[in-house]
Amino acid sequence: MSKEILQLENTNANDFKNEIVKDVTNALKGYAETLQNPDKDKLLTRQETADLLQVSLVTIWDWTKKDILPAYRIGNKVRYKKDEILQALQQMNKFSS
């Protein structure tokens, strides 16, 4: 088994430790956000999106065509990200206020 040697220049132990702590803290914050909203990046079908928003498939198609709802093509299928749907809904509500 060979040992790998890490050599650091122009830094002291305290600065090195602080950088490691900062990076680990940022990684944990990202992980915590994922745990709080596990289906943030969940992809929904057109029908699931229509059901979520309680609108017709024609309305979903129209909103997609007007770039109100961002859509993703996977082969010949169209999918929508749940968090982007909810953001678009909030944006629509801002306009109607």
Side-chain angles (χ1 to χ4, degrees), residues 84-96:
E84 291 178 355
I85 294 167
L86 299 176
Q87 287 174 0
L89 183 62
Q90 288 176 344
Q91 197 67 23
M92 285 187 271
N93 285 335
K94 284 182 184 178
F95 294 133
S96 63

Side-chain angles (χ1 to χ4, degrees), residues 4-40:
E4 292 186 27
I5 298 173
L6 173 65
Q7 184 174 353
L8 301 172
E9 296 179 12
N10 299 324
T11 189
N12 63 41
N14 197 40
D15 290 342
F16 182 63
K17 179 193 79 159
N18 289 338
E19 284 298 314
I20 291 173
V21 169
K22 183 176 80 173
D23 289 345
V24 169
T25 301
N26 288 338
L28 289 174
K29 283 180 185 176
Y31 183 68
E33 288 175 15
T34 302
L35 289 177
Q36 290 171 354
N37 193 359
D39 59 345
K40 174 183 164 192

Side-chain angles (χ1 to χ4, degrees), residues 34-49:
T34 302
L35 289 177
Q36 290 171 354
N37 193 359
D39 59 345
K40 174 183 164 192
D41 291 328
K42 181 178 181 183
L43 293 175
L44 302 177
T45 64
R46 290 177 64 240
Q47 185 63 56
E48 290 170 330
T49 303

Side-chain angles (χ1 to χ4, degrees), residues 43-77:
L43 293 175
L44 302 177
T45 64
R46 290 177 64 240
Q47 185 63 56
E48 290 170 330
T49 303
D51 292 344
L52 177 66
L53 298 176
Q54 297 182 344
V55 297
S56 70
L57 288 172
V58 174
T59 302
I60 295 297
W61 177 82
D62 186 50
W63 288 349
T64 302
K65 186 176 168 188
K66 292 178 179 175
D67 288 328
I68 295 171
L69 286 179
Y72 299 88
R73 282 208 179 273
I74 302 172
N76 63 349
K77 298 175 183 176

